[in-house]
Amino acid sequence: MKYLGIIMTKTHHMCAYRMRNFLQRLIIKMKENPEDWKKIVDDAVKCALRLWGIKRLINATWNELALSCFWLVMLQNKITKYKLTYLVDLAKDVLGKRVRSSRIIKITTFLRRLLNMYDTKKEAKQLIEMMIMKLDKKLCASREYINELKTVAVAIVDMVGGKISMSPRMLAACSLYLADKKVCKKLGIKPMLTAKSLAEITGLSLYSILKKTTLIFDYIKDIDSDAHE
């Protein structure tokens, strides 16, 4: 049977059934009526099935594909009250599903670029929030540090977004890496973030993060220099 441009096998049908069941359970945990979300679920499952070919490439689970597509379909339908970080936490903590933030970031970035759904700054800021939530659980840092980290990272995005060529994911990671250095110096503590830890949660290479961070640092330094001339 041909469906969505692919030949549907028993495996495809089983995956579609499992993804639909997963999303319906997620919607119930969101305190929404699954019947009202039927079209969104159907569109999300169709979207996920179309990604069959890249699933193995990004080493994603079907639940991760379904969740990513579900969120993007929500955005396309102007439903913005649920943040991706909230949905990820629901999937992991409430439903006990295996969902990795790094792969969710990969999938959503890929899809939004494909569909031309984002501007670099806005996307980077959303990813910063998601990354900070992920890091916060590992670092056990003070609330002052976390708040300052987000503020400074967002300020860096506003300063360099669109000026230096890089993906929103890379911009978010580099901005956090630089922000950590600035915030820790201000608070008189040792830096808490490493390029390695950011690489682990974003799926980016450590070398690329360090290289791009240097570009951002040099750009900011030039701006500061010009301001004092």
Side-chain angles (χ1 to χ4, degrees), residues 5-23:
I6 62 176
I7 302 300
M8 293 291 286
T9 64
K10 287 184 179 180
T11 302
H12 288 82
H13 284 295
M14 182 60 70
C15 289
Y17 171 79
R18 289 176 177 172
M19 286 190 290
R20 186 170 283 104
N21 181 261
F22 162 58
L23 292 176

Side-chain angles (χ1 to χ4, degrees), residues 111-125:
L111 284 174
R112 297 184 82 176
R113 182 176 297 165
L114 188 67
L115 299 172
N116 195 26
M117 286 178 64
Y118 68 76
D119 65 57
T120 302
K121 288 185 180 181
K122 183 177 180 180
E123 178 76 2
K125 289 175 185 178

Side-chain angles (χ1 to χ4, degrees), residues 2-62:
K2 194 168 183 178
Y3 180 56
L4 307 172
I6 62 176
I7 302 300
M8 293 291 286
T9 64
K10 287 184 179 180
T11 302
H12 288 82
H13 284 295
M14 182 60 70
C15 289
Y17 171 79
R18 289 176 177 172
M19 286 190 290
R20 186 170 283 104
N21 181 261
F22 162 58
L23 292 176
Q24 288 172 344
R25 292 176 61 199
L26 185 71
I27 289 167
I28 291 172
K29 293 299 180 181
M30 291 161 58
K31 300 187 183 344
E32 300 281 359
N33 183 353
E35 285 299 315
D36 297 336
W37 290 65
K38 188 177 184 303
K39 185 178 185 308
I40 290 177
V41 170
D42 287 343
D43 288 346
V45 172
K46 290 176 185 178
C47 175
L49 287 174
R50 288 193 182 102
L51 297 177
W52 189 278
I54 70 162
K55 177 182 178 293
R56 204 173 278 179
L57 180 66
I58 57 180
N59 192 31
T61 67
W62 283 114

Side-chain angles (χ1 to χ4, degrees), residues 70-94:
F70 178 66
W71 183 64
L72 289 174
V73 171
M74 284 172 59
L75 292 184
Q76 289 180 319
N77 283 272
K78 311 299 183 186
I79 301 173
T80 58
K81 61 180 178 178
Y82 295 108
K83 292 185 177 181
L84 183 57
T85 49
Y86 171 73
L87 298 179
V88 171
D89 283 343
L90 270 189
K92 286 194 298 188
D93 300 334
V94 180

Side-chain angles (χ1 to χ4, degrees), residues 60-220:
T61 67
W62 283 114
N63 286 328
E64 289 163 346
L65 284 177
L67 183 60
S68 299
C69 292
F70 178 66
W71 183 64
L72 289 174
V73 171
M74 284 172 59
L75 292 184
Q76 289 180 319
N77 283 272
K78 311 299 183 186
I79 301 173
T80 58
K81 61 180 178 178
Y82 295 108
K83 292 185 177 181
L84 183 57
T85 49
Y86 171 73
L87 298 179
V88 171
D89 283 343
L90 270 189
K92 286 194 298 188
D93 300 334
V94 180
L95 299 179
K97 295 294 182 182
R98 178 170 156 263
V99 176
R100 286 187 61 178
S101 299
S102 60
R103 290 197 290 250
I104 293 290
I105 291 171
K106 269 188 182 181
I107 300 165
T108 53
T109 299
F110 170 81
L111 284 174
R112 297 184 82 176
R113 182 176 297 165
L114 188 67
L115 299 172
N116 195 26
M117 286 178 64
Y118 68 76
D119 65 57
T120 302
K121 288 185 180 181
K122 183 177 180 180
E123 178 76 2
K125 289 175 185 178
Q126 291 174 340
L127 290 172
I128 281 172
E129 185 172 345
M130 188 171 181
M131 291 176 195
I132 286 178
M133 287 187 69
K134 181 78 174 177
L135 290 165
D136 193 13
K137 296 176 182 179
K138 293 184 177 181
L139 297 175
C140 297
S142 68
R143 193 48 37 196
E144 180 183 14
Y145 166 82
I146 294 297
N147 291 338
E148 284 283 334
L149 182 68
K150 180 179 178 180
T151 298
V152 175
V154 167
I156 292 173
V157 167
D158 282 331
M159 193 180 299
V160 305
K163 306 295 194 305
I164 300 175
S165 179
M166 64 180 70
S167 69
R169 184 161 46 122
M170 181 62 77
L171 178 58
C174 294
S175 297
L176 280 172
Y177 188 60
L178 272 179
D180 171 70
K181 305 296 175 284
K182 289 177 174 287
V183 172
C184 289
K185 183 177 180 180
K186 175 183 176 181
L187 298 179
I189 59 178
K190 292 182 179 180
M192 303 186 73
L193 295 184
T194 64
K196 182 179 179 181
S197 64
L198 288 166
E200 288 174 351
I201 68 167
T202 60
L204 297 167
S205 79
L206 184 152
Y207 172 77
S208 295
I209 291 175
L210 291 173
K211 183 179 179 181
K212 292 292 188 178
T213 297
T214 300
L215 290 177
I216 292 177
F217 178 76
D218 289 341
Y219 179 83
I220 292 174

